[in-house]
Amino acid sequence: MNRKHPATGPLTVTVFVFPGVRLLDVTGPIEVFTTANEFGGCYQVQIASEDGTEVITSAGTRLSADLSAHDVQEPCDILLIPGGPEWETMIKDDALVDTVRHLHAKSHCTASVCTGAFLLAAAGLLNGRRAATHWRHSRQLASRFPSVQVQPDAIFVRDGQVMTSAGVSAGIDLSLALVEDHYGAQVARSVAKDMVVFMQRPGGQSQFSVRSRTPHTRQEMLRRVLDAVAEDPGANHTLTAMARRAGISVRHMTRLFDDEVGTTPARYVEQVRLEAAQVLLETGDDPMPAVARRTGFGSAESLRRAFVRHLGVTPGAFRTSFRTTGMHTTDPASAPTAP
């Protein structure tokens, strides 16, 4: 489901749980949807298990179910499939996989969290689709299910009526995106602030903060272009390539960026690439040439020039400044602020 307009009535969210499910995969999204109800949303959340009985999570916590999977009424607006650490056992459970397939048939939108993507893949729901999962398991997902187009750096991926997200807390990001689809950016922003999380965290290759600052475009083809840049900053995003991707002229593409985004195509692409490089420098140890290649700058020198021009520091100096989380900062004025 990808409404792009405010919902007009209550929306049903069914969270499917099973023995060994990861607790935060369940509770994180539930918290987003129930908090949204405090700011104008209208979600009805229900927890379903195979037979309607409680399950024990991977943390040893008991989770009660509201109903059995076969008692779920259609249409279900959102079906959420969480993951669990024992994903190899999960995908060999034919009954579990059949239940996921059965619930998907009743749902407008099916979304997975973390290794829940393996259940969707085992049920054949990701065949030919792009998908995300926990970075640690991306290679296993790709090797076990070759028909799935795994996006290893994405926080979440939307492909038609199916959404998949990265590890654990990324289920919150995915849920916030759904809230924005249903009730608009302001409601989603209010939920993010209330939960003290990023509305669109500056991490991964699909959710950079420059994207959250970009006005919501009314042009679907332009939104697809913007999403493509954010999902893979290192790809070919020349003005000609973007215009061809959208099926419009170069002049029309330039005009759309000016009218809808408030900047030029080249400047927008550079901003996304710069933030992608910042994330890689904050979180990894890749050498500068590799960071430059992955983010579309091409060379370490081009990366250095962009950093100096926009941030006033070299990539090396930037990386050094992010070797601490700031948790032990004693000066309150210098502590990081909540989003």
Side-chain angles (χ1 to χ4, degrees):
M1 181 173 56
N2 190 6
R3 292 172 183 264
K4 308 299 181 191
H5 300 290
T8 57
L11 298 176
T12 302
V13 180
T14 300
V15 183
F16 177 56
V17 298
F18 45 86
V21 69
R22 190 183 293 274
L23 185 61
L24 187 57
D25 287 8
V26 176
T27 58
I30 288 177
E31 192 68 26
V32 170
F33 294 123
T34 55
T35 301
N37 289 344
E38 302 175 21
F39 297 100
C42 189
Y43 291 103
Q44 297 177 345
V45 179
Q46 58 186 11
I47 298 178
S49 66
E50 279 193 81
D51 57 6
T53 61
E54 69 177 18
V55 300
I56 299 178
T57 71
S58 61
T61 306
R62 295 179 180 274
L63 273 180
S64 297
D66 300 305
L67 72 171
S68 73
H70 289 279
D71 288 331
V72 172
Q73 299 297 309
E74 55 182 307
C76 169
D77 292 291
I78 303 167
L79 168 65
L80 188 77
I81 306 296
E86 302 298 327
W87 59 268
E88 290 182 283
T89 301
M90 289 160 39
I91 62 176
K92 294 176 183 176
D93 186 333
D94 292 339
L96 184 62
V97 173
D98 285 343
T99 301
V100 169
R101 194 180 294 115
H102 166 78
L103 288 171
H104 169 75
K106 293 184 174 184
S107 305
H108 291 310
C109 170
T110 297
S112 69
V113 182
C114 197
T115 55
F118 283 87
L119 278 173
L120 298 190
L125 305 179
L126 297 182
N127 291 344
R129 296 184 188 272
R130 296 178 298 115
T133 189
H134 193 291
W135 62 268
R136 185 179 296 148
H137 304 302
S138 292
R139 288 184 180 178
Q140 291 97 323
L141 183 63
S143 62
R144 284 177 179 261
F145 302 99
S147 64
V148 180
Q149 301 169 32
V150 179
Q151 310 286 298
D153 292 329
I155 291 176
F156 66 82
V157 172
R158 187 200 311 265
D159 193 327
Q161 70 177 114
V162 178
M163 297 180 71
T164 50
S165 63
V168 193
S169 62
I172 293 174
D173 299 85
L174 179 149
S175 301
L176 284 169
L178 285 169
V179 170
E180 181 181 8
D181 278 353
H182 301 150
Y183 297 105
Q186 185 56 52
V187 174
R189 190 174 296 114
S190 297
V191 174
K193 288 181 178 179
D194 189 76
M195 294 179 63
V196 198
V197 297
F198 288 103
M199 180 173 172
Q200 294 187 352
R201 77 170 82 182
Q205 291 191 2
S206 64
Q207 295 298 304
F208 298 110
S209 58
V210 65
R211 192 68 177 90
S212 68
R213 296 197 303 267
T214 303
H216 181 81
T217 176
R218 296 164 295 177
Q219 303 290 335
E220 183 63 24
M221 61 181 173
L222 178 58
R223 180 157 184 155
R224 289 197 301 270
V225 169
L226 298 178
D227 287 342
V229 175
E231 287 174 6
D232 189 2
N236 178 15
H237 299 302
T238 62
L239 175 58
T240 300
M242 290 190 290
R244 185 183 303 115
R245 193 176 299 136
I248 58 178
S249 68
V250 167
R251 172 181 279 185
H252 190 191
M253 177 61 70
T254 302
R255 188 183 306 117
L256 280 177
F257 263 83
D258 184 60
D259 293 343
E260 300 284 334
V261 185
T263 189
T264 65
R267 191 171 296 122
Y268 177 83
V269 171
E270 185 172 64
Q271 288 173 341
V272 172
R273 287 175 169 169
L274 183 67
E275 292 193 3
Q278 288 176 260
V279 170
L280 291 179
L281 292 172
E282 292 171 15
T283 60
D285 295 305
D286 286 350
M288 293 302 169
V291 172
R293 287 194 302 272
R294 289 182 61 185
T295 55
F297 284 103
S299 69
E301 179 56 26
S302 295
L303 177 68
R304 189 194 68 79
R305 287 199 299 266
F307 263 71
V308 171
R309 182 168 63 253
H310 291 281
L311 303 177
V313 297
T314 65
F318 180 89
R319 168 175 272 169
T320 299
S321 71
F322 278 92
R323 287 310 183 190
T324 176
T325 63
M327 288 291 289
H328 303 293
T329 303
T330 55
D331 179 7
S334 64
T337 58

